[in-house]
Amino acid sequence: MKNFAALFKELDETIQPEFKVAALINYFQKVLPCDAAWALNLLSGRKFKQLVTLKKLQEWSVELAQIPEWLFFECRNNVSDLTETISLILPCKGNTENIPLQTLIEQHLIPLRNQEEKVQKEIIISVWQKLNSTEMYIWNKLVTGSFHFDIMPKLIIKALSRFCNMPESIISYRLSGNWAPFADFFNRLCSPEDAGSIIYHA
C-alpha cells in the first residue's frame, strides 16, 4: 500500500507525461503481480460501489479522533474534501504497517459489502489504525466509491509497454477485453508467449 500511495502522490504532483510514465514503471518494478494487477484495475478507472456512507465515516472518525464535531466541520471548511478531512484528523502512528494493495482490497475492502454497520465500523477503524495519512485518504476514497486517478490510458499503456518490453499495440489489445485483477492476468499481460488477447470474466 505504501508503494501505491507513493505512486498516487507522484502522479498527482506532476503534469509531465514522461514523469507519470516513469512513476508507473517504477511502481510496477517494486510490487508483486497481485498488487500490480489491482493497481492497474484502479488506474483504468474501475470503481467500487459505495460500501460505507460519508456520514458514517465522519461519525466514526470524530469518535476515533476524540474531537468535537464543530472542530471537524472547521477542518472540513478549510480542506473542502470530506474524505481528506478524515485522513487529516485521524491519529497516525509514525511507523505504520505496509499492507499489500491486494490484501487491503480483498481482505478488508470487499468484505465490507453487505455487512452489518457494527462489523463495517470495526473493519474501517482497524484499517485506519494501520495506515498513514495518504493511505487513509486512498482507503476512504475506495470505501466511498469516489477514488479516481487522473491519468490518460495511453500513458498507462506506454508504461506497461516499457516495463514488459512489449509493443504498445499488444498491451492495448490485451487490455481490451474483460479482465480480472489477478496476478495470473498481470503475468500473462507481459508474457511474450501469449500472443492472443487475454480475456477474463470476473
Side-chain angles (χ1 to χ4, degrees):
M1 182 58 178
K2 292 190 182 303
N3 287 321
F4 187 71
L7 173 65
F8 177 83
K9 290 186 70 174
E10 287 185 77
L11 295 178
D12 186 57
E13 292 171 357
T14 182
I15 60 173
Q16 298 296 325
E18 279 302 313
F19 289 171
K20 290 180 183 289
V21 170
L24 288 167
I25 294 172
N26 182 54
Y27 174 79
F28 291 134
Q29 290 173 337
K30 287 182 176 180
V31 301
L32 295 174
C34 53
D35 273 18
W38 272 113
L40 183 57
N41 187 80
L42 297 174
L43 287 165
S44 300
R46 297 181 176 187
K47 293 183 178 181
F48 292 93
K49 294 181 179 180
Q50 185 181 57
L51 300 172
V52 179
T53 65
L54 283 168
K55 183 178 180 181
K56 287 300 177 185
L57 290 186
Q58 174 188 316
E59 176 185 323
W60 300 338
S61 66
V62 167
E63 179 183 330
L64 183 61
Q66 297 182 332
I67 62 173
E69 282 197 356
W70 67 263
L71 182 55
F72 177 89
F73 287 115
E74 283 293 320
C75 295
R76 183 183 178 183
N77 289 337
N78 289 323
V79 177
S80 76
D81 184 278
L82 194 148
T83 52
E84 184 177 2
T85 303
I86 292 171
S87 69
L88 293 173
I89 67 158
L90 287 172
C92 178
K93 298 178 182 178
N95 185 24
T96 56
E97 293 184 32
N98 189 10
I99 306 174
L101 183 61
Q102 178 198 30
T103 300
L104 185 76
I105 292 174
E106 295 182 9
Q107 296 185 23
H108 301 293
L109 182 68
I110 293 176
L112 285 170
R113 292 175 180 166
N114 304 317
Q115 291 285 1
E116 294 182 356
E117 182 179 313
K118 179 182 178 181
V119 177
Q120 288 184 329
K121 180 180 179 181
E122 290 173 352
I123 294 173
I124 292 292
I125 292 178
S126 174
V127 173
W128 275 341
Q129 293 175 328
K130 298 174 183 176
L131 305 178
N132 64 32
S133 182
T134 302
E135 294 161 356
M136 276 192 268
Y137 173 74
I138 294 172
W139 166 249
N140 294 340
K141 287 290 186 181
L142 291 173
V143 168
T144 57
S146 58
F147 182 82
H148 174 67
F149 247 117
D150 187 17
I151 185 169
M152 293 183 290
K154 67 179 183 180
L155 296 184
I156 301 172
I157 292 172
K158 184 184 293 291
L160 285 168
S161 171
R162 294 181 185 177
F163 170 73
C164 301
N165 194 26
M166 302 278 290
E168 290 183 29
S169 58
I170 292 180
I171 296 296
S172 179
Y173 180 59
R174 291 179 174 182
L175 287 173
S176 63
N178 295 321
W179 48 270
F182 301 134
D184 182 56
F185 160 74
F186 193 81
N187 286 331
R188 294 182 64 188
L189 177 67
C190 290
S191 172
E193 287 78 21
D194 195 340
S197 175
I198 46 180
I199 301 177
Y200 289 89
H201 294 280

